[in-house]
Amino acid sequence: MTELDALAPSPDHVWAHENVVVRYLRGVEFDAVRNGSTVQVCHGLTETEIGECLVPVVTEQARHVGLSQREFELVLVGLVRTTVADPIEAWSTYYRNSLNELLAGTADFAAVHARAESLVLGSVLDMGSCFGFFPLRLATKGHSVTATDVSAGTMRLLAAVAPRLGVTLDSVVCDAADVPVSDGSVDTVTALHLLEHVDAETGSRIVAEALRIARRRVVIAVPYESEATACHGHVRTFDEPALIELGLSTGVRFQTSEHHGGWLVVDKTPAPQFV
C-alpha cells in the first residue's frame, strides 16, 4: 500500500491510485464496478454535490461492489479530485460543503458532532480526527483545538485547507495510543467513532491515553452496530454493556447514554450533570 497524497497532480477528470480509477463524465450517474482487482468509478457530480453527503452513497456502492476500507477511501478521494480540477480548490470545496452539511444537520455525522460539541469543555484534543471536520467546527466556535490522526496525508490536507477556511488549529500526526503531548495538557479529549476501528487492547490504551491528557473530561462516541461495517474500517461492535464495562475500567466517575450511537463521558473533576 503506497502513501496517498490527496493533493498530487493528476489529469483533468481522471484520478488513479493503486487499484482504483475514477473518471468524471458529465451527466453520468455515480457507478462503481470491479474488473478483476481494479475498481473503476464513473460519475458526473457537480461542485455542490461533493461533501459528507457522499459517504452514504459511496457506502451503498461499497456494499454492492465489495470495497475494502482502503478502496472506499480511494474512491472518495477520486470523486473529490475529479469534480474540481485544482487540487486545493477541490478539497476546499469538499470541506466547505461538508461543514455546511454537518452544521445544517443533513450529514450522517451531524447529530454526533452536535452532541459532542455540547459536551466539550475548554480546550480540546481530538483523537482520530480523519479529515478534521469536528476540530474545525470547534475552532470556529472559539475553542483551542488540536486535531490528531495516524494518517500524515490527512493531517497535511487539513493543515493546507484550514487557512482557506479562515480557521486556525493545530494538527499532530500520531497514534491515538501514543500522543506526544504532556499530561493534562487540554481540558477535554474527544474520540468520536474511533474505538470501533481498533481491537479491545488498543482501545484500552487509547482510553488510558485520553485520561492522561485530559484535565477535566473525556468524551467517547461509538456506533451501535450488530455487525462491524468493514468498508469503514470497523473491526468490532459496541453496545451499552460494553461501554459500561469500559467506563468501569477507568476507575473514574463516568456516564453512558445513547444518541445516534453510544456515548461514554468520563469526568476527572466535578462537572454539571447532563441529560
PDB file of all heavy atoms in Angstrom, residues 180-203:
ATOM      1  N   PRO A 180       2.007  12.598  21.497  1.00  0.00           N
ATOM      2  CA  PRO A 180       3.165  13.307  22.046  1.00  0.00           C
ATOM      3  C   PRO A 180       2.834  14.666  22.656  1.00  0.00           C
ATOM      4  O   PRO A 180       3.294  15.715  22.190  1.00  0.00           O
ATOM      5  CB  PRO A 180       4.076  13.448  20.819  1.00  0.00           C
ATOM      6  CG  PRO A 180       3.131  13.568  19.675  1.00  0.00           C
ATOM      7  CD  PRO A 180       1.978  12.656  20.023  1.00  0.00           C
ATOM      8  N   VAL A 181       2.010  14.660  23.713  1.00  0.00           N
ATOM      9  CA  VAL A 181       1.694  15.875  24.457  1.00  0.00           C
ATOM     10  C   VAL A 181       1.822  15.547  25.945  1.00  0.00           C
ATOM     11  O   VAL A 181       1.772  14.380  26.347  1.00  0.00           O
ATOM     12  CB  VAL A 181       0.285  16.420  24.146  1.00  0.00           C
ATOM     13  CG1 VAL A 181       0.165  16.783  22.672  1.00  0.00           C
ATOM     14  CG2 VAL A 181      -0.784  15.415  24.545  1.00  0.00           C
ATOM     15  N   SER A 182       1.939  16.566  26.762  1.00  0.00           N
ATOM     16  CA  SER A 182       2.148  16.366  28.187  1.00  0.00           C
ATOM     17  C   SER A 182       0.858  15.995  28.911  1.00  0.00           C
ATOM     18  O   SER A 182      -0.245  16.195  28.394  1.00  0.00           O
ATOM     19  CB  SER A 182       2.745  17.629  28.807  1.00  0.00           C
ATOM     20  OG  SER A 182       1.883  18.730  28.604  1.00  0.00           O
ATOM     21  N   ASP A 183       0.998  15.472  30.117  1.00  0.00           N
ATOM     22  CA  ASP A 183      -0.148  15.114  30.944  1.00  0.00           C
ATOM     23  C   ASP A 183      -1.003  16.351  31.215  1.00  0.00           C
ATOM     24  O   ASP A 183      -0.477  17.441  31.481  1.00  0.00           O
ATOM     25  CB  ASP A 183       0.318  14.549  32.286  1.00  0.00           C
ATOM     26  CG  ASP A 183       1.084  13.243  32.155  1.00  0.00           C
ATOM     27  OD1 ASP A 183       1.247  12.763  31.028  1.00  0.00           O
ATOM     28  OD2 ASP A 183       1.524  12.709  33.195  1.00  0.00           O
ATOM     29  N   GLY A 184      -2.314  16.178  31.178  1.00  0.00           N
ATOM     30  CA  GLY A 184      -3.224  17.262  31.499  1.00  0.00           C
ATOM     31  C   GLY A 184      -3.034  18.503  30.660  1.00  0.00           C
ATOM     32  O   GLY A 184      -3.182  19.623  31.143  1.00  0.00           O
ATOM     33  N   SER A 185      -2.755  18.320  29.384  1.00  0.00           N
ATOM     34  CA  SER A 185      -2.428  19.464  28.526  1.00  0.00           C
ATOM     35  C   SER A 185      -3.649  20.148  27.920  1.00  0.00           C
ATOM     36  O   SER A 185      -3.547  21.262  27.400  1.00  0.00           O
ATOM     37  CB  SER A 185      -1.479  19.035  27.406  1.00  0.00           C
ATOM     38  OG  SER A 185      -2.030  17.974  26.653  1.00  0.00           O
ATOM     39  N   VAL A 186      -4.831  19.494  27.959  1.00  0.00           N
ATOM     40  CA  VAL A 186      -6.058  20.122  27.466  1.00  0.00           C
ATOM     41  C   VAL A 186      -7.197  19.822  28.430  1.00  0.00           C
ATOM     42  O   VAL A 186      -7.119  18.906  29.255  1.00  0.00           O
ATOM     43  CB  VAL A 186      -6.451  19.622  26.051  1.00  0.00           C
ATOM     44  CG1 VAL A 186      -5.396  19.987  25.021  1.00  0.00           C
ATOM     45  CG2 VAL A 186      -6.703  18.121  26.057  1.00  0.00           C
ATOM     46  N   ASP A 187      -8.266  20.592  28.326  1.00  0.00           N
ATOM     47  CA  ASP A 187      -9.422  20.366  29.191  1.00  0.00           C
ATOM     48  C   ASP A 187     -10.181  19.101  28.806  1.00  0.00           C
ATOM     49  O   ASP A 187     -10.593  18.327  29.672  1.00  0.00           O
ATOM     50  CB  ASP A 187     -10.366  21.572  29.123  1.00  0.00           C
ATOM     51  CG  ASP A 187      -9.757  22.815  29.742  1.00  0.00           C
ATOM     52  OD1 ASP A 187      -9.311  22.743  30.899  1.00  0.00           O
ATOM     53  OD2 ASP A 187      -9.705  23.851  29.050  1.00  0.00           O
ATOM     54  N   THR A 188     -10.398  18.906  27.503  1.00  0.00           N
ATOM     55  CA  THR A 188     -11.218  17.789  27.029  1.00  0.00           C
ATOM     56  C   THR A 188     -10.503  17.014  25.935  1.00  0.00           C
ATOM     57  O   THR A 188      -9.888  17.609  25.038  1.00  0.00           O
ATOM     58  CB  THR A 188     -12.563  18.292  26.460  1.00  0.00           C
ATOM     59  OG1 THR A 188     -13.240  19.063  27.450  1.00  0.00           O
ATOM     60  CG2 THR A 188     -13.446  17.132  26.029  1.00  0.00           C
ATOM     61  N   VAL A 189     -10.599  15.697  25.999  1.00  0.00           N
ATOM     62  CA  VAL A 189     -10.140  14.835  24.912  1.00  0.00           C
ATOM     63  C   VAL A 189     -11.364  14.148  24.318  1.00  0.00           C
ATOM     64  O   VAL A 189     -12.194  13.604  25.057  1.00  0.00           O
ATOM     65  CB  VAL A 189      -9.128  13.783  25.387  1.00  0.00           C
ATOM     66  CG1 VAL A 189      -8.795  12.806  24.261  1.00  0.00           C
ATOM     67  CG2 VAL A 189      -7.844  14.448  25.880  1.00  0.00           C
ATOM     68  N   THR A 190     -11.491  14.189  22.996  1.00  0.00           N
ATOM     69  CA  THR A 190     -12.606  13.534  22.319  1.00  0.00           C
ATOM     70  C   THR A 190     -12.102  12.400  21.436  1.00  0.00           C
ATOM     71  O   THR A 190     -11.032  12.491  20.827  1.00  0.00           O
ATOM     72  CB  THR A 190     -13.394  14.533  21.447  1.00  0.00           C
ATOM     73  OG1 THR A 190     -12.498  15.203  20.552  1.00  0.00           O
ATOM     74  CG2 THR A 190     -14.101  15.564  22.306  1.00  0.00           C
ATOM     75  N   ALA A 191     -12.885  11.334  21.381  1.00  0.00           N
ATOM     76  CA  ALA A 191     -12.604  10.200  20.490  1.00  0.00           C
ATOM     77  C   ALA A 191     -13.942   9.781  19.893  1.00  0.00           C
ATOM     78  O   ALA A 191     -14.680   8.992  20.489  1.00  0.00           O
ATOM     79  CB  ALA A 191     -11.952   9.054  21.246  1.00  0.00           C
ATOM     80  N   LEU A 192     -14.251  10.345  18.739  1.00  0.00           N
ATOM     81  CA  LEU A 192     -15.560  10.143  18.117  1.00  0.00           C
ATOM     82  C   LEU A 192     -15.479   9.075  17.040  1.00  0.00           C
ATOM     83  O   LEU A 192     -14.789   9.242  16.035  1.00  0.00           O
ATOM     84  CB  LEU A 192     -16.073  11.456  17.515  1.00  0.00           C
ATOM     85  CG  LEU A 192     -16.064  12.675  18.449  1.00  0.00           C
ATOM     86  CD1 LEU A 192     -16.635  13.893  17.727  1.00  0.00           C
ATOM     87  CD2 LEU A 192     -16.815  12.404  19.738  1.00  0.00           C
ATOM     88  N   HIS A 193     -16.148   7.977  17.257  1.00  0.00           N
ATOM     89  CA  HIS A 193     -16.176   6.860  16.313  1.00  0.00           C
ATOM     90  C   HIS A 193     -14.753   6.453  15.917  1.00  0.00           C
ATOM     91  O   HIS A 193     -14.425   6.332  14.742  1.00  0.00           O
ATOM     92  CB  HIS A 193     -17.032   7.211  15.102  1.00  0.00           C
ATOM     93  CG  HIS A 193     -18.494   7.201  15.420  1.00  0.00           C
ATOM     94  ND1 HIS A 193     -19.440   6.646  14.593  1.00  0.00           N
ATOM     95  CD2 HIS A 193     -19.186   7.662  16.498  1.00  0.00           C
ATOM     96  CE1 HIS A 193     -20.652   6.773  15.149  1.00  0.00           C
ATOM     97  NE2 HIS A 193     -20.514   7.388  16.307  1.00  0.00           N
ATOM     98  N   LEU A 194     -13.955   6.232  16.943  1.00  0.00           N
ATOM     99  CA  LEU A 194     -12.571   5.774  16.782  1.00  0.00           C
ATOM    100  C   LEU A 194     -12.379   4.356  17.295  1.00  0.00           C
ATOM    101  O   LEU A 194     -11.725   3.536  16.630  1.00  0.00           O
ATOM    102  CB  LEU A 194     -11.624   6.732  17.526  1.00  0.00           C
ATOM    103  CG  LEU A 194     -10.166   6.282  17.688  1.00  0.00           C
ATOM    104  CD1 LEU A 194      -9.503   6.125  16.319  1.00  0.00           C
ATOM    105  CD2 LEU A 194      -9.395   7.261  18.561  1.00  0.00           C
ATOM    106  N   LEU A 195     -12.936   4.041  18.453  1.00  0.00           N
ATOM    107  CA  LEU A 195     -12.628   2.770  19.100  1.00  0.00           C
ATOM    108  C   LEU A 195     -13.105   1.554  18.315  1.00  0.00           C
ATOM    109  O   LEU A 195     -12.549   0.463  18.466  1.00  0.00           O
ATOM    110  CB  LEU A 195     -13.232   2.740  20.510  1.00  0.00           C
ATOM    111  CG  LEU A 195     -12.667   3.765  21.499  1.00  0.00           C
ATOM    112  CD1 LEU A 195     -13.252   3.530  22.886  1.00  0.00           C
ATOM    113  CD2 LEU A 195     -11.139   3.716  21.543  1.00  0.00           C
ATOM    114  N   GLU A 196     -14.126   1.713  17.468  1.00  0.00           N
ATOM    115  CA  GLU A 196     -14.582   0.582  16.664  1.00  0.00           C
ATOM    116  C   GLU A 196     -13.587   0.204  15.564  1.00  0.00           C
ATOM    117  O   GLU A 196     -13.705  -0.844  14.935  1.00  0.00           O
ATOM    118  CB  GLU A 196     -15.958   0.870  16.039  1.00  0.00           C
ATOM    119  CG  GLU A 196     -15.969   1.965  14.988  1.00  0.00           C
ATOM    120  CD  GLU A 196     -16.158   3.355  15.573  1.00  0.00           C
ATOM    121  OE1 GLU A 196     -15.982   3.531  16.799  1.00  0.00           O
ATOM    122  OE2 GLU A 196     -16.484   4.267  14.793  1.00  0.00           O
ATOM    123  N   HIS A 197     -12.577   1.057  15.364  1.00  0.00           N
ATOM    124  CA  HIS A 197     -11.552   0.795  14.344  1.00  0.00           C
ATOM    125  C   HIS A 197     -10.362   0.012  14.881  1.00  0.00           C
ATOM    126  O   HIS A 197      -9.464  -0.341  14.108  1.00  0.00           O
ATOM    127  CB  HIS A 197     -11.038   2.125  13.766  1.00  0.00           C
ATOM    128  CG  HIS A 197     -12.055   2.875  12.974  1.00  0.00           C
ATOM    129  ND1 HIS A 197     -12.202   2.721  11.603  1.00  0.00           N
ATOM    130  CD2 HIS A 197     -12.998   3.776  13.344  1.00  0.00           C
ATOM    131  CE1 HIS A 197     -13.172   3.506  11.170  1.00  0.00           C
ATOM    132  NE2 HIS A 197     -13.678   4.157  12.208  1.00  0.00           N
ATOM    133  N   VAL A 198     -10.335  -0.241  16.193  1.00  0.00           N
ATOM    134  CA  VAL A 198      -9.181  -0.913  16.800  1.00  0.00           C
ATOM    135  C   VAL A 198      -9.652  -2.052  17.692  1.00  0.00           C
ATOM    136  O   VAL A 198     -10.812  -2.089  18.124  1.00  0.00           O
ATOM    137  CB  VAL A 198      -8.330   0.076  17.629  1.00  0.00           C
ATOM    138  CG1 VAL A 198      -7.771   1.180  16.742  1.00  0.00           C
ATOM    139  CG2 VAL A 198      -9.141   0.683  18.778  1.00  0.00           C
ATOM    140  N   ASP A 199      -8.743  -2.991  17.992  1.00  0.00           N
ATOM    141  CA  ASP A 199      -9.109  -4.099  18.871  1.00  0.00           C
ATOM    142  C   ASP A 199      -9.232  -3.618  20.315  1.00  0.00           C
ATOM    143  O   ASP A 199      -8.886  -2.476  20.647  1.00  0.00           O
ATOM    144  CB  ASP A 199      -8.111  -5.247  18.747  1.00  0.00           C
ATOM    145  CG  ASP A 199      -6.684  -4.849  19.104  1.00  0.00           C
ATOM    146  OD1 ASP A 199      -6.484  -4.044  20.028  1.00  0.00           O
ATOM    147  OD2 ASP A 199      -5.748  -5.356  18.448  1.00  0.00           O
ATOM    148  N   ALA A 200      -9.733  -4.475  21.175  1.00  0.00           N
ATOM    149  CA  ALA A 200     -10.035  -4.089  22.556  1.00  0.00           C
ATOM    150  C   ALA A 200      -8.790  -3.651  23.310  1.00  0.00           C
ATOM    151  O   ALA A 200      -8.831  -2.677  24.083  1.00  0.00           O
ATOM    152  CB  ALA A 200     -10.705  -5.249  23.274  1.00  0.00           C
ATOM    153  N   GLU A 201      -7.682  -4.335  23.114  1.00  0.00           N
ATOM    154  CA  GLU A 201      -6.454  -3.975  23.825  1.00  0.00           C
ATOM    155  C   GLU A 201      -5.981  -2.583  23.420  1.00  0.00           C
ATOM    156  O   GLU A 201      -5.639  -1.750  24.270  1.00  0.00           O
ATOM    157  CB  GLU A 201      -5.355  -5.001  23.544  1.00  0.00           C
ATOM    158  CG  GLU A 201      -4.042  -4.695  24.254  1.00  0.00           C
ATOM    159  CD  GLU A 201      -2.955  -5.700  23.954  1.00  0.00           C
ATOM    160  OE1 GLU A 201      -3.239  -6.704  23.258  1.00  0.00           O
ATOM    161  OE2 GLU A 201      -1.813  -5.488  24.395  1.00  0.00           O
ATOM    162  N   THR A 202      -5.968  -2.319  22.114  1.00  0.00           N
ATOM    163  CA  THR A 202      -5.575  -0.994  21.636  1.00  0.00           C
ATOM    164  C   THR A 202      -6.551   0.062  22.121  1.00  0.00           C
ATOM    165  O   THR A 202      -6.158   1.168  22.506  1.00  0.00           O
ATOM    166  CB  THR A 202      -5.491  -0.983  20.101  1.00  0.00           C
ATOM    167  OG1 THR A 202      -4.589  -1.991  19.662  1.00  0.00           O
ATOM    168  CG2 THR A 202      -5.028   0.378  19.586  1.00  0.00           C
ATOM    169  N   GLY A 203      -7.830  -0.278  22.116  1.00  0.00           N
ATOM    170  CA  GLY A 203      -8.836   0.662  22.594  1.00  0.00           C
ATOM    171  C   GLY A 203      -8.617   1.047  24.045  1.00  0.00           C
ATOM    172  O   GLY A 203      -8.762   2.226  24.418  1.00  0.00           O
TER     173      GLY A 203
END
